[in-house]
Amino acid sequence: MADLTAQPWFWWALGVAVGLPVVLLALTELHAALARRDSPAARPVAFLRTYVVPAVALLLLVTQASQVSAEVTWVRIIATVAGLLVLLVLLSGLNVALFSNAREGTWRARIPSIFVDIFRVGVVAAGLAVLFSWVWGADVGGLFTALGVTSIVLGLALQNAAGSIISGLLLLFEQPFKIGDWLDTGSTRGRVVEVNWRAVHIETGDGIRVVPNASLAGAEFTNLSVPSTEHTDTLTVAFAPADAPDRVRSVLLRTAERLPALVPGERPGVSVLGGGSYAVALPLPTVTAVAATRSLFLGTLWYAARREGLHLDGDAGWGSPLPDGADALRRLAPTLRLDDEQVATFADAVVVQRFGDGEVTQPSGVVPDAMSVLLDGAGYLSLPAPPGETRSVLELGPGDLLSPTVLTREPSALVGVSVGESTVVRIPVDTVREMVRRRPDLARDVGAEIDRRRDAAGLGRAAASPVQRSPRPASR
């Protein structure tokens, strides 16, 4: 027994025979625990257990237990394979340790993938050099010298292109902006739509401006999307010089105050520039809201100005003519219980107005001075809600009432909103009273409609009820 234990291969063979099962069992348990937690480290542990440990054990048995010379070619092949497997598991482990578990916002999460790839290539090259030098006795010094000289020559020849690429990589690493941010470079102002190694693509409204990364890296620019302070967008609109400035300012303020994107608690401003021009200042939370808010404001202003008889851009005409009072009342006669004689009597008193998509046709919390009836288009009634939210409770169609509380002189509890372009007929309160005096059934219809609105408002406050169709008053 003493002679056996004195053999140089004995303890190596015993160590491999006992240690290999123990190590494999421990790695199996570790892999199972990592896999249950969905840890990215489970993959390199499985690779270590399946390939690396058996390959290293085989190499130890061949070189130490069997006492085979390490100079034999097939032994060198085994050593090369084992070394490559060790190199792969080291790369996988470094990737998990440095990058897979990186928290959002840290430098490890921001580092571009090209840097990671370059790091991997460098580790592989160094590992292969050490492996071939150790196993095969290769002289890799000359190879690295040649690669260094080649890199210097290529760097000098491509320094301009390489400088732009490096600048791009540094921008990607630092991340002073991201896709969707608004930049002001001094000569260019717009939204970032693409960032690559060479250039940043900025959408300016007139097209895509391509700005080289080297230009951005060597100059100052402003990321308009980063500041927490509000952004005030100022736009200029023109009316006919003959339009009264006070009326124009009133329409501009009313239209601007109803924009959903305004900063809460801030009010827009209007300045008279002279010559029919006016500057409108819109307080917005970020510059990214400028385009959508401008579009909504100008579209809504087109309808609001024409309803007031103002000449936006020197023109106050409608795209299609509005129906006159007689035609409008004739179409609403079944709802209002009017005969032909009454239609002719009240035709001159009514006002026909047109509204754009999303415009308020009947505000809440105010006593209406006229009864509004939807003539064309569609709309809905909504509970008052914060800007940007909708709590619709009733859909509206042609012939539905918008403000039935005109007779009871109660504030409207619901907000009327137009869906698409709609036409509304407004009947003054005195005219409505005369209609009711001649046709008392109209008062009963209006009262029933008020009750239905109250029920819908109560349901809307209690819970988010589905949108319902508003029943129309019974016809004659």
Side-chain angles (χ1 to χ4, degrees):
M1 184 65 179
D3 294 338
L4 181 63
T5 58
Q7 298 296 322
W9 53 266
F10 175 79
W11 294 108
W12 286 104
L14 181 63
V16 172
V18 175
L20 179 61
V22 173
V23 172
L24 291 178
L25 180 62
L27 291 176
T28 300
E29 294 298 325
L30 178 60
H31 174 264
L34 294 174
R36 286 194 296 270
R37 297 201 301 265
D38 293 327
S39 172
R43 186 173 179 180
V45 170
F47 187 85
L48 178 65
R49 176 199 61 189
T50 307
Y51 300 106
V52 178
V53 171
V56 173
L58 176 61
L59 181 63
L60 291 177
L61 284 176
V62 170
T63 59
Q64 302 298 329
S66 299
Q67 298 293 307
V68 179
S69 173
E71 303 298 325
V72 179
T73 302
W74 63 271
V75 175
R76 289 183 174 182
I77 293 175
I78 294 176
T80 303
V81 172
L84 287 174
L85 293 175
V86 171
L87 184 61
L88 290 176
V89 78
L90 286 177
L91 281 176
S92 182
L94 286 174
N95 183 67
V96 171
L98 294 179
F99 307 112
S100 296
N101 294 321
R103 292 192 301 271
E104 188 68 25
T106 62
W107 69 270
R108 292 188 297 167
R110 295 197 309 267
I111 190 169
S113 59
I114 184 64
F115 284 176
V116 179
D117 294 337
I118 292 174
F119 171 75
R120 290 172 178 169
V121 170
V123 173
V124 169
L128 289 177
V130 172
L131 182 63
F132 278 91
S133 176
W134 173 55
V135 176
W136 298 93
D139 183 11
V140 296
L143 176 62
F144 277 102
T145 301
L147 289 176
V149 172
T150 304
S151 299
I152 294 175
V153 173
L154 290 177
L156 292 175
L158 303 175
Q159 56 182 331
N160 292 332
S164 182
I165 292 175
I166 293 174
S167 298
L169 293 175
L170 292 176
L171 282 176
L172 290 173
F173 176 68
E174 186 182 356
Q175 286 190 347
F177 53 82
K178 60 183 181 296
I179 301 296
D181 283 357
W182 286 73
L183 296 186
D184 185 356
T185 65
S187 60
T188 303
R189 179 188 176 102
R191 184 171 62 91
V192 178
V193 295
E194 182 181 347
V195 181
N196 54 44
W197 298 353
R198 191 187 69 83
V200 176
H201 295 208
I202 301 177
E203 183 181 13
T204 62
D206 298 328
I208 301 296
R209 181 77 179 270
V210 180
V211 181
N213 290 327
S215 299
L216 284 179
E220 295 182 353
F221 60 87
T222 303
N223 188 342
L224 300 175
S225 301
V226 170
S228 58
T229 56
E230 295 82 7
H231 173 76
T232 300
D233 179 46
T234 302
L235 68 159
T236 302
V237 293
F239 287 79
D243 289 338
D246 286 346
R247 291 183 60 202
V248 174
R249 289 184 73 255
S250 177
V251 170
L252 290 172
L253 283 174
R254 286 202 309 270
T255 305
E257 286 172 349
R258 291 173 179 171
L259 295 172
L262 297 184
V263 176
E266 297 289 335
R267 295 194 61 191
V270 176
S271 302
V272 181
L273 303 180
S277 296
Y278 299 81
V280 182
L282 303 175
L284 302 175
T286 64
V287 72
T288 56
V290 169
T293 303
R294 279 194 175 195
S295 177
L296 178 60
F297 174 74
L298 294 175
T300 306
L301 181 62
W302 190 91
Y303 289 93
R306 281 155 175 76
R307 285 196 300 270
E308 296 293 329
L310 300 174
H311 301 77
L312 178 64
D313 295 327
D315 179 23
W318 292 99
S320 58
L322 292 172
D324 58 22
D327 181 44
L329 285 184
R330 194 175 297 112
R331 293 166 58 183
L332 295 176
T335 298
L336 300 177
R337 298 181 177 269
L338 301 177
D339 54 29
D340 293 340
E341 179 184 353
Q342 292 165 345
V343 167
T345 300
F346 301 124
D348 293 337
V350 303
V351 177
V352 182
Q353 298 179 330
R354 187 165 288 158
F355 292 84
D357 184 39
E359 277 199 281
V360 174
T361 53
Q362 173 59 49
S364 65
V366 298
V367 178
D369 56 2
M371 185 167 70
S372 301
V373 188
L374 191 61
L375 180 64
D376 288 319
Y380 63 88
L381 293 175
S382 171
L383 288 168
E389 295 185 17
T390 300
R391 300 174 182 173
S392 57
V393 294
L394 289 174
E395 285 184 340
L396 299 176
D400 287 338
L401 303 181
L402 286 167
S403 51
T405 59
V406 63
L407 290 176
T408 60
R409 310 309 294 157
E410 296 176 298
S412 176
L414 300 174
V415 181
V417 181
S418 174
V419 176
E421 188 175 81
S422 62
T423 306
V424 174
V425 178
R426 296 200 183 277
I427 309 172
V429 60
D430 292 337
T431 304
V432 177
R433 290 195 181 105
E434 181 62 22
M435 289 180 176
V436 170
R437 188 185 67 80
R438 297 190 184 190
R439 301 305 297 263
D441 289 346
L442 178 59
R444 184 186 61 206
D445 295 340
V446 172
E449 189 68 19
I450 292 175
D451 291 338
R452 282 189 286 268
R453 304 291 168 87
R454 287 173 178 168
D455 293 341
L459 290 174
R461 292 189 184 96
S465 59
V467 176
Q468 308 171 26
R469 181 76 176 101
S470 174
R472 300 183 190 174
S475 60
R476 292 184 297 171

